[in-house]
Amino acid sequence: MKQTFWQAGHKPTLFSAFLYFDLSFMVWVLLGPLAVQIAGDLALTPAQKGMMVATPVLTGALLRMIMGILVDQIQPKKAGIIGQLIVIAALATAWLNGIHSYQQALILGVFLGVAGASFAVALPLASRWYPPEHQGTALGIAGAGNSGTALAALFAPGLALAFGWSNVFGLALIPLIITLVLYSLLAKDAPNPPASKSVSEYLHVLKDKDAWWFMFFYSVTFGGFVGMASSLTIYFNDQYGLDAVHAGYFTAACVFAGSLVRPIGGNLADRLGGIRTLSVMYVIAACFLFILSVGLKTQLSGLLVVICAMMALGMGNGAVFQLVPQRFRKEIGVMTGLIGMAGGIGGFYLASSLGYSKQLTGSYQIGLTLFACLAIIALIGLTFVKQRWRTTWGSAAVTSAKV
């Protein structure tokens, strides 16, 4: 990484954005690693398990647009503090009162969706401090907060075994409160932010066809990542008979791999161009999702294939957000919300479809195959628009970044 990157921007804010994103993502997918134990106590069907872990993903997606608007109205730091307080209150309520039914689990999932909306705060908070040539790297580092999903998978099942899954909600409050304090002290809004816009102006961006392309592209990369992260504990438990703790370890390995390469994806996009990097990642992700859909017989082979798929999706996330600030520099707040919303919807689709696929057919093949096909369709779409992008807003005359 070039030395000039560390001389640009504001490092405490970049760290704060990463930490806030990381811990928010940890609780966003918390129901996934706990799903095996919760499903056993509440007697949930495969479809209900899929819907339970998908609900926070969907609500997080829908709230990202609202949070994106809030970011531009009151600045990222204040919006982040509000979101953290809501999540802390929801977890405290669940811990003190308990979760006794499927419906209550879904209600908690709705409030955990606020944590998923942190995406629309953390990325603009970091992005506004960095010039175009460093956007991929900066957003890759902030976006590596995806690794919080691995923390949930690594620790939640074991803590649930030791203390009961309901008490995990209370234990999660400890790092969340620490993060809130650090964020409040260290994060700083960038000077000269974009002027606030009306809601109608936010909706106006949807008239731009490039906005829809970016939403679709991210619905595949991030949707695949978070959908898999939410479902893998259930998958490894069902497919290979692993107990909740060991299934959580497998999930953590996969999610860590996909999260840690997101900055690499952003940095590669800075060096080689976002379109070229993203195209390669779609091919790799589709191939490994197709392989996974056939139902690999051994735990090790399944683990390795999932890791490869998650790494491709994670790097694809970084590549998408190397491109977005080049195209929508002045609308980065609302576009982060819109694109993040689309990514969450993709994750909801994957997580819920895996549950229904298992219930209706007895396997996950149909759900995985359909999502692999979406990656191929995204590759075709990217091929369709790349020439226009490179000769308009992505040309050397317009931006110093490689597109």
Side-chain angles (χ1 to χ4, degrees):
M1 191 180 301
K2 294 181 180 180
Q3 184 66 27
T4 54
F5 171 78
W6 297 111
Q7 296 170 352
H10 189 253
K11 291 188 285 294
T13 297
L14 183 61
F15 168 74
S16 300
F18 165 79
L19 185 64
Y20 162 51
F21 199 17
D22 197 59
L23 272 294
S24 294
F25 264 47
M26 179 189 76
V27 296
W28 187 30
V29 301
L30 190 58
L31 293 178
L34 296 176
V36 174
Q37 289 120 315
I38 294 175
D41 287 350
L42 301 184
L44 304 183
T45 66
Q48 287 176 325
K49 283 192 288 185
M51 187 58 66
M52 179 181 69
V53 302
T55 295
V57 180
L58 178 62
T59 55
L62 299 177
L63 288 170
R64 283 179 176 188
M65 182 176 177
I66 297 174
M67 191 64 82
I69 294 173
L70 193 63
V71 161
D72 276 352
Q73 296 296 322
I74 66 172
Q75 298 297 303
K77 183 174 179 176
K78 290 180 182 178
I81 291 173
I82 292 171
Q84 291 180 77
L85 290 174
I86 292 173
V87 173
I88 288 171
L91 282 173
T93 301
W95 173 46
L96 294 173
N97 296 334
I99 300 294
H100 306 291
S101 68
Y102 172 60
Q103 290 75 19
Q104 289 178 341
L106 293 182
I107 292 172
L108 175 61
V110 169
F111 281 97
L112 293 184
V114 177
S118 63
F119 176 95
V121 176
L123 269 63
L125 182 66
S127 170
R128 290 177 180 179
W129 279 101
Y130 290 87
E133 62 269 23
H134 293 309
Q135 286 292 316
T137 303
L139 291 178
I141 292 173
N146 285 344
S147 60
T149 55
L151 296 177
L154 188 62
F155 296 112
L159 291 172
L161 190 64
F163 303 105
W165 56 265
S166 184
N167 287 322
V168 175
F169 302 139
L171 293 170
L173 293 173
I174 298 172
L176 287 180
I177 292 172
I178 294 173
T179 297
L180 175 60
V181 173
L182 290 174
Y183 177 91
S184 300
L185 294 174
L186 298 178
K188 184 179 179 181
D189 290 318
N192 303 315
S196 297
K197 304 177 183 67
S198 66
V199 174
S200 62
E201 287 178 299
Y202 286 112
L203 297 178
H204 180 74
V205 77
L206 290 175
K207 296 179 181 179
D208 192 318
K209 57 187 175 183
D210 285 346
W212 291 96
W213 279 116
F214 277 119
M215 290 166 67
F216 174 56
F217 294 150
Y218 203 64
S219 73
V220 176
T221 58
F222 183 76
F225 176 87
V226 75
M228 293 291 285
S230 300
S231 305
L232 282 174
T233 301
I234 299 172
Y235 175 82
F236 286 124
N237 173 257
D238 287 341
Q239 194 75 9
Y240 301 111
L242 298 179
D243 60 53
V245 174
H246 287 90
Y249 291 156
F250 272 44
T251 301
C254 298
V255 176
F256 263 128
S259 301
L260 295 180
V261 298
R262 178 165 179 156
I264 298 175
N267 190 251
L268 277 177
D270 280 340
R271 294 170 180 269
L272 305 177
I275 292 174
R276 184 178 292 110
T277 303
L278 185 57
S279 297
V280 173
M281 293 309 123
Y282 279 140
V283 172
I284 296 173
C287 288
F288 282 105
L289 287 171
F290 274 125
I291 293 172
L292 189 65
S293 71
V294 304
L296 299 168
K297 293 184 179 180
T298 66
Q299 300 172 5
L300 181 59
S301 61
L303 175 64
L304 292 176
V305 168
V306 174
I307 285 176
C308 290
M310 292 290 276
M311 289 179 69
L313 293 167
M315 293 180 74
N317 290 335
V320 171
F321 268 92
Q322 185 265 355
L323 293 168
V324 174
Q326 320 308 328
R327 177 63 181 85
F328 295 102
R329 180 70 178 176
K330 294 181 179 179
E331 303 90 359
I332 185 63
V334 68
M335 283 308 303
T336 298
L338 286 170
I339 294 170
M341 178 183 69
I345 291 173
F348 169 79
Y349 162 74
L350 178 57
S352 59
S353 67
L354 290 177
Y356 281 105
S357 177
K358 177 67 174 178
Q359 180 158 323
L360 296 175
T361 68
S363 78
Y364 296 101
Q365 183 172 13
I366 292 177
L368 290 168
T369 299
L370 289 176
F371 206 83
C373 290
L374 280 179
I376 296 299
I377 294 171
L379 174 64
I380 295 171
L382 187 59
T383 303
F384 175 76
V385 300
K386 67 180 181 180
Q387 183 62 30
R388 176 173 60 82
W389 285 7
R390 285 173 173 164
T391 56
T392 53
W393 57 266
S395 68
V398 177
T399 179
S400 58
K402 290 186 177 180
V403 172

